[in-house]
């Protein structure tokens, strides 16, 4: 029996079925892609509100009017040049052994020190742990205000976990809506970016130890409930809760954070502070 050519209504009906099938297949494919992404972080970070999986460096987020939010490579917020640093880690953590005496008041806050699995430091985990501990035991740190005692404990059940994270993990957890490497606090964890730990920040120049002291005190300050601060006295030391990783200049900080406000409105008032690592810089003197 000879086949019969379909009429126009049959052709349209067949085309419609194909279209429906194609849409359904595409939807399933997109769903599969989404399920393979890292989970969204729902916590509000004291440094950056983590809204989604961060952008990649070659695809910076867009600011007002669809313009890229990134500044020029000359911005003080960009990572300085320097040695290689751990880019990838495993997303799991191991504790750095050590416990310390208390400093400060009778209100004890315990913390442990951890390093991401797969992150290897040239001078070893213990050196990182000792540095963080020495910062938080210093009378110029948060214990110097007499309101809190910080005590290092093993990593079983501390109040706070201070973690060194690879660049990729830090970007995933801290967000990358401003396309600059940062450290952050999320709930009861502080994540120190290995990129910043190794390279520091342009605002601190070549003084890497002072930057490391700053980043520990700044992020622990967020855990203790302190928000961001601004340069209030031109020529004076920057508050430790100022975002000195980006800049110690209010004008530049206002420009950098315009696309993604960071808790506090920054006035472009021309004030410039000097880098400062400590919440109580004059304590113990």
């Amino acid at each position: 029996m000879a086949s019969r050519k379909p009429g126009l209504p049959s052709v349209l009906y067949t085309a419609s079925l194909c279209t429906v099938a194609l849409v359904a297949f595409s939807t399933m494919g997109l769903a599969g892609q989404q399920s393979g992404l890292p989970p969204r972080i729902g916590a509000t970070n004291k440094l950056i509100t983590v809204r989604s999986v961060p952008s990649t460096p070659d695809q910076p987020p867009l600011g007002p009017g669809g313009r890229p939010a990134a500044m020029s490579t000359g911005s003080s917020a960009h990572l300085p040049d320097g040695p290689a640093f751990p880019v990838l880690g495993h997303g799991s953590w191991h504790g750095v052994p050590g416990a310390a005496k208390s400093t400060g008041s009778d209100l004890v806050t315990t913390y442990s020190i951890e390093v991401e699995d797969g992150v290897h430091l040239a001078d070893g985990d213990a050196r990182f742990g000792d540095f963080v501990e020495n910062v938080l035991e210093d009378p110029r740190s948060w214990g110097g205000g007499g309101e809190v005692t910080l005590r290092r404990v093993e990593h079983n059940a501390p109040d706070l976990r201070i973690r060194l994270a690879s660049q990729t993990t830090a970007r995933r957890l801290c967000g990358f809506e401003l396309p600059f490497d940062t450290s952050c606090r999320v709930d009861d964890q502080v994540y120190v970016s290995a990129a910043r730990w190794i390279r520091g920040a342009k605002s601190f120049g070549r003084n890497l130890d002072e930057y490391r002291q700053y980043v520990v005190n700044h992020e622990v300050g967020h855990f203790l409930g302190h928000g961001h601060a601004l340069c209030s006295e031109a020529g004076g030391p920057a508050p430790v809760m100022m975002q000195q990783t980006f800049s110690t200049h209010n004008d530049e900080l206002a420009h950098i954070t315009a696309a993604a406000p960071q808790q506090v409105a920054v006035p472009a008032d021309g004030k410039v502070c000097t880098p400062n690592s400590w919440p109580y810089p004059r304590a113990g003197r």
Side-chain angles (χ1 to χ4, degrees):
M1 181 177 176
S3 61
R4 181 172 60 88
K5 293 184 179 180
L8 182 59
S10 299
V11 172
L12 292 176
Y13 178 75
T14 302
S16 298
L17 287 177
C18 292
T19 301
V20 170
L22 180 59
V23 169
F25 178 80
S26 300
T27 303
M28 291 173 62
L30 288 172
Q33 291 173 14
Q34 292 295 327
S35 65
L37 290 173
R40 288 174 178 254
I41 307 297
T44 299
N45 174 9
K46 289 293 185 180
L47 177 62
I48 291 177
T49 301
V50 184
R51 298 190 179 95
S52 62
V53 177
S55 305
T56 57
D58 58 340
Q59 292 179 317
L62 297 180
R67 295 184 297 273
M71 295 183 64
S72 70
T73 55
S75 167
S76 66
H78 283 283
L79 196 66
D81 293 334
F85 52 80
V87 174
L88 293 172
H90 298 162
S92 55
W93 311 88
H94 60 272
V96 180
K101 62 184 180 181
S102 299
T103 60
S105 72
D106 294 332
L107 180 61
V108 177
T109 296
T110 60
Y111 66 93
S112 65
I113 300 173
E114 304 176 5
V115 172
E116 185 178 3
D117 294 328
V119 168
H120 303 289
L121 297 173
D123 48 2
D125 292 356
R127 189 73 175 270
F128 171 71
D130 290 345
F131 191 97
V132 173
E133 180 183 329
N134 288 337
V135 170
L136 296 178
E137 281 193 349
D138 193 291
R140 295 169 292 177
S141 188
W142 294 107
E147 298 177 356
V148 63
T149 291
L150 298 168
R151 180 189 299 158
R152 182 180 177 185
V153 297
E154 298 294 346
H155 62 283
N156 294 328
D159 298 318
L160 169 66
R161 297 178 187 273
I162 301 174
R163 292 172 160 176
L164 183 67
S166 66
Q167 182 186 52
T168 301
T169 297
R171 287 182 176 185
R172 178 172 63 86
L173 294 171
C174 296
F176 205 62
E177 55 194 354
L178 292 177
F180 310 112
D181 287 291
T182 62
S183 303
C184 65
R185 170 253 171 162
V186 179
D187 297 328
D188 58 354
Q189 294 96 35
V190 157
Y191 294 98
V192 177
S193 166
R196 289 293 183 181
W197 191 257
I198 300 299
R199 295 277 187 89
K202 292 183 178 181
S203 55
F204 280 78
R206 296 181 180 275
N207 201 324
L208 184 59
D209 280 352
E210 285 191 5
Y211 176 76
R212 289 174 172 178
Q213 293 162 350
Y214 158 76
V215 77
V216 171
N217 282 317
H218 182 96
E219 301 308 339
V220 171
H222 281 313
F223 173 76
L224 296 174
H226 299 279
H228 284 143
L230 308 173
C231 177
S232 58
E233 180 185 351
V240 75
M241 296 313 297
M242 186 177 186
Q243 290 176 286
Q244 297 177 61
T245 292
F246 294 158
S247 183
T248 57
H249 300 221
N250 278 353
D251 287 7
E252 187 173 21
L253 191 58
H255 181 52
I256 290 168
T257 61
Q262 305 289 293
Q263 299 180 339
V264 61
V266 185
D269 57 10
K271 291 180 180 178
V272 180
C273 280
T274 58
N276 167 50
S277 305
W278 304 100
Y280 303 103
R282 297 187 179 279
R285 295 184 178 180

Short mmCIF file of all heavy atoms in Angstrom, two decimals, residues 171-225:
data_model
loop_
_atom_site.label_atom_id
_atom_site.label_comp_id
_atom_site.label_asym_id
_atom_site.label_seq_id
_atom_site.Cartn_x
_atom_site.Cartn_y
_atom_site.Cartn_z
N ARG A 171 37.18 31.60 47.72
CA ARG A 171 36.27 32.32 46.82
C ARG A 171 34.87 31.71 46.86
O ARG A 171 33.86 32.42 46.80
CB ARG A 171 36.81 32.28 45.39
CG ARG A 171 38.02 33.17 45.17
CD ARG A 171 38.49 33.12 43.72
NE ARG A 171 39.60 34.04 43.49
CZ ARG A 171 40.12 34.27 42.30
NH1 ARG A 171 39.65 33.64 41.23
NH2 ARG A 171 41.13 35.12 42.17
N ARG A 172 34.79 30.39 46.95
CA ARG A 172 33.49 29.73 46.99
C ARG A 172 32.74 30.07 48.27
O ARG A 172 31.53 30.34 48.24
CB ARG A 172 33.66 28.22 46.88
CG ARG A 172 32.36 27.42 46.96
CD ARG A 172 32.57 25.95 46.66
NE ARG A 172 33.44 25.32 47.62
CZ ARG A 172 33.02 24.82 48.80
NH1 ARG A 172 31.75 24.92 49.15
NH2 ARG A 172 33.87 24.24 49.61
N LEU A 173 33.43 30.09 49.39
CA LEU A 173 32.78 30.30 50.68
C LEU A 173 32.59 31.78 51.00
O LEU A 173 31.57 32.16 51.59
CB LEU A 173 33.59 29.63 51.79
CG LEU A 173 33.65 28.11 51.73
CD1 LEU A 173 34.66 27.57 52.74
CD2 LEU A 173 32.27 27.51 52.00
N CYS A 174 33.54 32.60 50.62
CA CYS A 174 33.47 34.03 50.95
C CYS A 174 32.75 34.84 49.90
O CYS A 174 32.35 35.98 50.15
CB CYS A 174 34.89 34.59 51.15
SG CYS A 174 35.78 33.86 52.53
N GLY A 175 32.57 34.28 48.71
CA GLY A 175 31.95 35.03 47.62
C GLY A 175 33.00 35.74 46.79
O GLY A 175 34.12 35.99 47.24
N PHE A 176 32.60 36.07 45.57
CA PHE A 176 33.50 36.75 44.66
C PHE A 176 32.73 37.82 43.88
O PHE A 176 33.03 38.13 42.74
CB PHE A 176 34.15 35.73 43.71
CG PHE A 176 35.48 36.17 43.16
CD1 PHE A 176 36.55 36.41 44.00
CD2 PHE A 176 35.67 36.33 41.80
CE1 PHE A 176 37.79 36.81 43.51
CE2 PHE A 176 36.89 36.72 41.28
CZ PHE A 176 37.95 36.96 42.14
N GLU A 177 31.70 38.38 44.54
CA GLU A 177 30.90 39.40 43.89
C GLU A 177 31.72 40.67 43.65
O GLU A 177 31.49 41.39 42.68
CB GLU A 177 29.64 39.71 44.71
CG GLU A 177 29.93 40.11 46.14
CD GLU A 177 28.68 40.08 46.98
OE1 GLU A 177 27.59 39.86 46.45
OE2 GLU A 177 28.81 40.27 48.19
N LEU A 178 32.64 40.97 44.55
CA LEU A 178 33.72 41.90 44.25
C LEU A 178 34.90 41.03 43.82
O LEU A 178 35.32 40.17 44.59
CB LEU A 178 34.08 42.73 45.48
CG LEU A 178 33.03 43.73 45.95
CD1 LEU A 178 33.50 44.43 47.22
CD2 LEU A 178 32.70 44.75 44.87
N PRO A 179 35.42 41.23 42.63
CA PRO A 179 36.39 40.27 42.08
C PRO A 179 37.79 40.42 42.65
O PRO A 179 38.77 40.62 41.94
CB PRO A 179 36.35 40.57 40.58
CG PRO A 179 36.05 42.03 40.53
CD PRO A 179 35.10 42.29 41.67
N PHE A 180 37.88 40.32 43.97
CA PHE A 180 39.15 40.40 44.68
C PHE A 180 39.20 39.30 45.72
O PHE A 180 38.19 38.99 46.35
CB PHE A 180 39.31 41.77 45.36
CG PHE A 180 39.04 42.95 44.46
CD1 PHE A 180 37.93 43.75 44.66
CD2 PHE A 180 39.90 43.24 43.42
CE1 PHE A 180 37.67 44.83 43.83
CE2 PHE A 180 39.67 44.33 42.60
CZ PHE A 180 38.55 45.13 42.79
N ASP A 181 40.37 38.72 45.93
CA ASP A 181 40.51 37.68 46.94
C ASP A 181 40.35 38.27 48.33
O ASP A 181 40.95 39.30 48.66
CB ASP A 181 41.88 37.01 46.81
CG ASP A 181 41.94 36.10 45.59
OD1 ASP A 181 41.26 35.06 45.60
OD2 ASP A 181 42.65 36.44 44.63
N THR A 182 39.53 37.61 49.14
CA THR A 182 39.30 38.06 50.52
C THR A 182 39.25 36.86 51.45
O THR A 182 39.06 35.73 51.03
CB THR A 182 37.97 38.82 50.64
OG1 THR A 182 36.89 37.94 50.30
CG2 THR A 182 37.93 40.04 49.77
N SER A 183 39.38 37.15 52.73
CA SER A 183 39.08 36.20 53.78
C SER A 183 37.71 36.58 54.34
O SER A 183 37.15 37.61 53.99
CB SER A 183 40.15 36.26 54.88
OG SER A 183 41.44 36.02 54.33
N CYS A 184 37.15 35.74 55.22
CA CYS A 184 35.81 36.03 55.70
C CYS A 184 35.49 35.23 56.94
O CYS A 184 36.19 34.29 57.32
CB CYS A 184 34.77 35.73 54.62
SG CYS A 184 34.65 33.98 54.16
N ARG A 185 34.39 35.61 57.55
CA ARG A 185 33.79 34.84 58.63
C ARG A 185 32.41 34.38 58.17
O ARG A 185 31.60 35.17 57.68
CB ARG A 185 33.67 35.67 59.90
CG ARG A 185 32.82 34.98 60.98
CD ARG A 185 31.48 35.65 61.14
NE ARG A 185 30.59 34.89 62.01
CZ ARG A 185 29.51 35.41 62.57
NH1 ARG A 185 29.20 36.67 62.36
NH2 ARG A 185 28.73 34.66 63.32
N VAL A 186 32.13 33.10 58.31
CA VAL A 186 30.81 32.55 58.02
C VAL A 186 30.40 31.73 59.23
O VAL A 186 31.02 30.72 59.55
CB VAL A 186 30.81 31.66 56.76
CG1 VAL A 186 29.41 31.10 56.51
CG2 VAL A 186 31.28 32.45 55.54
N ASP A 187 29.36 32.20 59.94
CA ASP A 187 28.90 31.54 61.15
C ASP A 187 30.05 31.40 62.15
O ASP A 187 30.66 32.39 62.50
CB ASP A 187 28.25 30.20 60.82
CG ASP A 187 26.99 30.37 59.96
OD1 ASP A 187 26.31 31.40 60.12
OD2 ASP A 187 26.72 29.50 59.13
N ASP A 188 30.37 30.19 62.58
CA ASP A 188 31.43 30.02 63.58
C ASP A 188 32.73 29.52 62.95
O ASP A 188 33.52 28.83 63.59
CB ASP A 188 30.99 29.07 64.70
CG ASP A 188 30.59 27.70 64.18
OD1 ASP A 188 30.54 27.50 62.95
OD2 ASP A 188 30.31 26.81 65.02
N GLN A 189 32.95 29.92 61.70
CA GLN A 189 34.22 29.63 61.04
C GLN A 189 34.80 30.93 60.47
O GLN A 189 34.06 31.76 59.94
CB GLN A 189 34.07 28.63 59.88
CG GLN A 189 33.65 27.23 60.29
CD GLN A 189 32.15 27.03 60.17
OE1 GLN A 189 31.52 27.57 59.29
NE2 GLN A 189 31.59 26.26 61.08
N VAL A 190 36.10 31.08 60.61
CA VAL A 190 36.84 32.12 59.92
C VAL A 190 37.66 31.44 58.84
O VAL A 190 38.36 30.45 59.11
CB VAL A 190 37.76 32.90 60.89
CG1 VAL A 190 38.90 33.57 60.15
CG2 VAL A 190 36.95 33.94 61.65
N TYR A 191 37.56 31.94 57.62
CA TYR A 191 38.31 31.38 56.50
C TYR A 191 39.36 32.41 56.06
O TYR A 191 39.02 33.50 55.63
CB TYR A 191 37.38 31.04 55.34
CG TYR A 191 36.42 29.93 55.67
CD1 TYR A 191 35.11 30.21 56.06
CD2 TYR A 191 36.82 28.60 55.62
CE1 TYR A 191 34.23 29.19 56.39
CE2 TYR A 191 35.95 27.57 55.95
CZ TYR A 191 34.67 27.88 56.33
OH TYR A 191 33.79 26.86 56.67
N VAL A 192 40.62 32.02 56.21
CA VAL A 192 41.73 32.87 55.79
C VAL A 192 42.17 32.41 54.41
O VAL A 192 42.54 31.25 54.22
CB VAL A 192 42.90 32.78 56.79
CG1 VAL A 192 44.08 33.63 56.30
CG2 VAL A 192 42.46 33.23 58.18
N SER A 193 42.10 33.30 53.45
CA SER A 193 42.49 32.98 52.08
C SER A 193 44.00 32.73 52.00
O SER A 193 44.80 33.59 52.38
CB SER A 193 42.10 34.12 51.14
OG SER A 193 42.75 33.99 49.89
N ALA A 194 44.37 31.56 51.50
CA ALA A 194 45.80 31.25 51.34
C ALA A 194 46.46 32.22 50.36
O ALA A 194 47.65 32.54 50.50
CB ALA A 194 45.97 29.81 50.86
N ALA A 195 45.70 32.68 49.37
CA ALA A 195 46.26 33.66 48.42
C ALA A 195 46.71 34.92 49.16
O ALA A 195 47.80 35.46 48.92
CB ALA A 195 45.23 33.99 47.34
N ARG A 196 45.87 35.39 50.08
CA ARG A 196 46.21 36.58 50.86
C ARG A 196 47.28 36.26 51.91
O ARG A 196 48.13 37.10 52.20
CB ARG A 196 44.96 37.15 51.53
CG ARG A 196 43.98 37.80 50.57
CD ARG A 196 44.56 39.06 49.97
NE ARG A 196 43.59 39.74 49.10
CZ ARG A 196 43.86 40.85 48.42
NH1 ARG A 196 45.05 41.41 48.51
NH2 ARG A 196 42.95 41.40 47.64
N TRP A 197 47.23 35.08 52.50
CA TRP A 197 48.22 34.72 53.50
C TRP A 197 49.63 34.71 52.91
O TRP A 197 50.59 35.13 53.55
CB TRP A 197 47.89 33.35 54.08
CG TRP A 197 48.70 32.99 55.30
CD1 TRP A 197 49.77 32.14 55.37
CD2 TRP A 197 48.48 33.47 56.63
NE1 TRP A 197 50.24 32.07 56.66
CE2 TRP A 197 49.47 32.88 57.45
CE3 TRP A 197 47.56 34.36 57.20
CZ2 TRP A 197 49.55 33.14 58.82
CZ3 TRP A 197 47.65 34.62 58.56
CH2 TRP A 197 48.62 34.01 59.35
N ILE A 198 49.73 34.28 51.67
CA ILE A 198 51.04 34.21 51.00
C ILE A 198 51.43 35.55 50.38
O ILE A 198 52.59 35.96 50.45
CB ILE A 198 51.04 33.12 49.91
CG1 ILE A 198 50.73 31.75 50.52
CG2 ILE A 198 52.37 33.09 49.17
CD1 ILE A 198 51.73 31.28 51.55
N ARG A 199 50.46 36.27 49.81
CA ARG A 199 50.78 37.49 49.05
C ARG A 199 50.53 38.78 49.85
O ARG A 199 51.14 39.80 49.56
CB ARG A 199 49.95 37.54 47.78
CG ARG A 199 50.24 36.44 46.77
CD ARG A 199 51.43 36.76 45.89
NE ARG A 199 51.60 35.77 44.83
CZ ARG A 199 51.03 35.86 43.63
NH1 ARG A 199 50.27 36.90 43.33
NH2 ARG A 199 51.22 34.92 42.73
N GLY A 200 49.60 38.74 50.81
CA GLY A 200 49.29 39.95 51.57
C GLY A 200 48.37 40.89 50.81
O GLY A 200 47.55 40.48 50.00
N ALA A 201 48.51 42.18 51.06
CA ALA A 201 47.67 43.20 50.42
C ALA A 201 48.53 44.40 50.08
O ALA A 201 49.49 44.73 50.80
CB ALA A 201 46.53 43.61 51.33
N LYS A 202 48.21 45.07 48.99
CA LYS A 202 48.99 46.22 48.55
C LYS A 202 49.01 47.33 49.59
O LYS A 202 50.00 48.07 49.71
CB LYS A 202 48.44 46.74 47.23
CG LYS A 202 48.66 45.79 46.06
CD LYS A 202 48.16 46.39 44.75
CE LYS A 202 48.43 45.45 43.58
NZ LYS A 202 47.96 46.02 42.29
N SER A 203 47.93 47.46 50.35
CA SER A 203 47.86 48.54 51.34
C SER A 203 48.91 48.38 52.44
O SER A 203 49.30 49.37 53.08
CB SER A 203 46.47 48.59 51.96
OG SER A 203 46.11 47.33 52.50
N PHE A 204 49.40 47.15 52.67
CA PHE A 204 50.42 46.92 53.69
C PHE A 204 51.83 46.87 53.10
O PHE A 204 52.79 46.63 53.84
CB PHE A 204 50.13 45.62 54.44
CG PHE A 204 49.06 45.75 55.49
CD1 PHE A 204 47.72 45.79 55.15
CD2 PHE A 204 49.41 45.87 56.83
CE1 PHE A 204 46.74 45.92 56.11
CE2 PHE A 204 48.43 46.01 57.81
CZ PHE A 204 47.09 46.04 57.45
N GLY A 205 51.94 47.07 51.81
CA GLY A 205 53.25 47.05 51.18
C GLY A 205 53.93 45.70 51.34
O GLY A 205 53.32 44.65 51.17
N ARG A 206 55.20 45.71 51.71
CA ARG A 206 55.98 44.49 51.84
C ARG A 206 55.89 43.87 53.24
O ARG A 206 56.51 42.84 53.51
CB ARG A 206 57.45 44.76 51.51
CG ARG A 206 57.67 45.19 50.07
CD ARG A 206 59.15 45.41 49.80
NE ARG A 206 59.39 45.82 48.43
CZ ARG A 206 59.52 44.99 47.40
NH1 ARG A 206 59.43 43.69 47.62
NH2 ARG A 206 59.73 45.44 46.18
N ASN A 207 55.13 44.49 54.13
CA ASN A 207 55.08 43.99 55.50
C ASN A 207 54.03 42.89 55.62
O ASN A 207 52.90 43.12 56.04
CB ASN A 207 54.80 45.12 56.49
CG ASN A 207 55.25 44.75 57.89
OD1 ASN A 207 55.13 43.59 58.30
ND2 ASN A 207 55.75 45.72 58.62
N LEU A 208 54.41 41.67 55.26
CA LEU A 208 53.47 40.55 55.23
C LEU A 208 53.01 40.17 56.63
O LEU A 208 51.83 39.84 56.84
CB LEU A 208 54.13 39.36 54.54
CG LEU A 208 53.25 38.11 54.34
CD1 LEU A 208 52.02 38.44 53.51
CD2 LEU A 208 54.06 37.00 53.67
N ASP A 209 53.91 40.20 57.62
CA ASP A 209 53.51 39.83 58.98
C ASP A 209 52.43 40.75 59.51
O ASP A 209 51.47 40.30 60.16
CB ASP A 209 54.72 39.86 59.91
CG ASP A 209 55.59 38.61 59.79
OD1 ASP A 209 55.17 37.66 59.08
OD2 ASP A 209 56.68 38.58 60.39
N GLU A 210 52.56 42.05 59.26
CA GLU A 210 51.54 42.98 59.74
C GLU A 210 50.20 42.72 59.05
O GLU A 210 49.14 42.82 59.69
CB GLU A 210 51.98 44.43 59.52
CG GLU A 210 53.04 44.88 60.50
CD GLU A 210 53.26 46.38 60.46
OE1 GLU A 210 52.53 47.09 59.71
OE2 GLU A 210 54.18 46.86 61.15
N TYR A 211 50.24 42.39 57.76
CA TYR A 211 48.97 42.06 57.11
C TYR A 211 48.36 40.80 57.71
O TYR A 211 47.14 40.75 57.94
CB TYR A 211 49.15 41.86 55.60
CG TYR A 211 47.85 41.43 54.96
CD1 TYR A 211 46.82 42.36 54.75
CD2 TYR A 211 47.60 40.09 54.66
CE1 TYR A 211 45.60 41.97 54.23
CE2 TYR A 211 46.37 39.71 54.14
CZ TYR A 211 45.38 40.64 53.93
OH TYR A 211 44.15 40.24 53.43
N ARG A 212 49.16 39.79 57.97
CA ARG A 212 48.64 38.56 58.55
C ARG A 212 48.03 38.82 59.93
O ARG A 212 46.98 38.27 60.28
CB ARG A 212 49.75 37.52 58.65
CG ARG A 212 50.18 36.97 57.29
CD ARG A 212 51.38 36.05 57.41
NE ARG A 212 51.68 35.37 56.15
CZ ARG A 212 52.69 34.54 55.97
NH1 ARG A 212 53.53 34.28 56.98
NH2 ARG A 212 52.89 33.96 54.80
N GLN A 213 48.68 39.67 60.72
CA GLN A 213 48.11 40.04 62.02
C GLN A 213 46.76 40.72 61.82
O GLN A 213 45.79 40.44 62.55
CB GLN A 213 49.08 40.96 62.75
CG GLN A 213 50.37 40.30 63.18
CD GLN A 213 51.47 41.29 63.50
OE1 GLN A 213 51.35 42.50 63.23
NE2 GLN A 213 52.57 40.79 64.06
N TYR A 214 46.72 41.60 60.85
CA TYR A 214 45.46 42.30 60.56
C TYR A 214 44.34 41.34 60.19
O TYR A 214 43.24 41.43 60.73
CB TYR A 214 45.67 43.33 59.43
CG TYR A 214 44.38 43.68 58.73
CD1 TYR A 214 43.45 44.54 59.32
CD2 TYR A 214 44.06 43.09 57.50
CE1 TYR A 214 42.25 44.82 58.69
CE2 TYR A 214 42.87 43.38 56.87
CZ TYR A 214 41.96 44.24 57.47
OH TYR A 214 40.75 44.50 56.85
N VAL A 215 44.60 40.43 59.25
CA VAL A 215 43.52 39.60 58.74
C VAL A 215 42.98 38.67 59.83
O VAL A 215 41.76 38.41 59.91
CB VAL A 215 43.95 38.81 57.48
CG1 VAL A 215 44.82 37.61 57.81
CG2 VAL A 215 42.73 38.39 56.66
N VAL A 216 43.85 38.18 60.72
CA VAL A 216 43.38 37.36 61.84
C VAL A 216 42.50 38.19 62.76
O VAL A 216 41.37 37.79 63.12
CB VAL A 216 44.58 36.76 62.61
CG1 VAL A 216 44.10 36.10 63.91
CG2 VAL A 216 45.32 35.76 61.75
N ASN A 217 42.97 39.37 63.16
CA ASN A 217 42.20 40.20 64.07
C ASN A 217 40.89 40.69 63.44
O ASN A 217 39.85 40.74 64.10
CB ASN A 217 43.03 41.41 64.51
CG ASN A 217 44.04 41.05 65.59
OD1 ASN A 217 43.71 40.32 66.52
ND2 ASN A 217 45.25 41.56 65.46
N HIS A 218 40.94 41.03 62.16
CA HIS A 218 39.73 41.53 61.48
C HIS A 218 38.64 40.47 61.44
O HIS A 218 37.50 40.73 61.81
CB HIS A 218 40.10 41.97 60.06
CG HIS A 218 38.95 42.55 59.29
ND1 HIS A 218 38.70 43.90 59.22
CD2 HIS A 218 37.97 41.96 58.56
CE1 HIS A 218 37.63 44.12 58.48
NE2 HIS A 218 37.16 42.95 58.05
N GLU A 219 38.99 39.27 61.00
CA GLU A 219 37.96 38.23 60.86
C GLU A 219 37.48 37.71 62.21
O GLU A 219 36.29 37.43 62.37
CB GLU A 219 38.48 37.09 59.99
CG GLU A 219 38.90 37.50 58.58
CD GLU A 219 37.85 38.29 57.81
OE1 GLU A 219 36.65 38.21 58.17
OE2 GLU A 219 38.22 39.01 56.88
N VAL A 220 38.37 37.59 63.18
CA VAL A 220 37.93 37.20 64.53
C VAL A 220 37.04 38.30 65.11
O VAL A 220 36.07 38.03 65.81
CB VAL A 220 39.14 36.90 65.43
CG1 VAL A 220 38.70 36.73 66.90
CG2 VAL A 220 39.85 35.63 64.96
N GLY A 221 37.35 39.56 64.77
CA GLY A 221 36.49 40.66 65.20
C GLY A 221 35.07 40.51 64.70
O GLY A 221 34.10 40.80 65.41
N HIS A 222 34.90 40.04 63.46
CA HIS A 222 33.55 39.79 62.95
C HIS A 222 32.86 38.72 63.77
O HIS A 222 31.68 38.84 64.11
CB HIS A 222 33.63 39.35 61.49
CG HIS A 222 33.83 40.48 60.53
ND1 HIS A 222 33.11 41.65 60.58
CD2 HIS A 222 34.66 40.62 59.46
CE1 HIS A 222 33.48 42.46 59.61
NE2 HIS A 222 34.42 41.86 58.91
N PHE A 223 33.57 37.65 64.10
CA PHE A 223 32.98 36.59 64.92
C PHE A 223 32.54 37.13 66.28
O PHE A 223 31.52 36.70 66.84
CB PHE A 223 33.98 35.46 65.11
CG PHE A 223 33.53 34.41 66.07
CD1 PHE A 223 32.57 33.48 65.71
CD2 PHE A 223 34.05 34.36 67.36
CE1 PHE A 223 32.13 32.52 66.61
CE2 PHE A 223 33.62 33.41 68.27
CZ PHE A 223 32.66 32.48 67.90
N LEU A 224 33.29 38.09 66.81
CA LEU A 224 32.96 38.67 68.12
C LEU A 224 31.87 39.74 68.02
O LEU A 224 31.50 40.33 69.03
CB LEU A 224 34.22 39.27 68.75
CG LEU A 224 35.33 38.26 69.09
CD1 LEU A 224 36.58 38.99 69.57
CD2 LEU A 224 34.86 37.25 70.13
N GLY A 225 31.36 39.98 66.82
CA GLY A 225 30.22 40.88 66.65
C GLY A 225 30.54 42.27 66.16
O GLY A 225 29.66 43.14 66.15
#
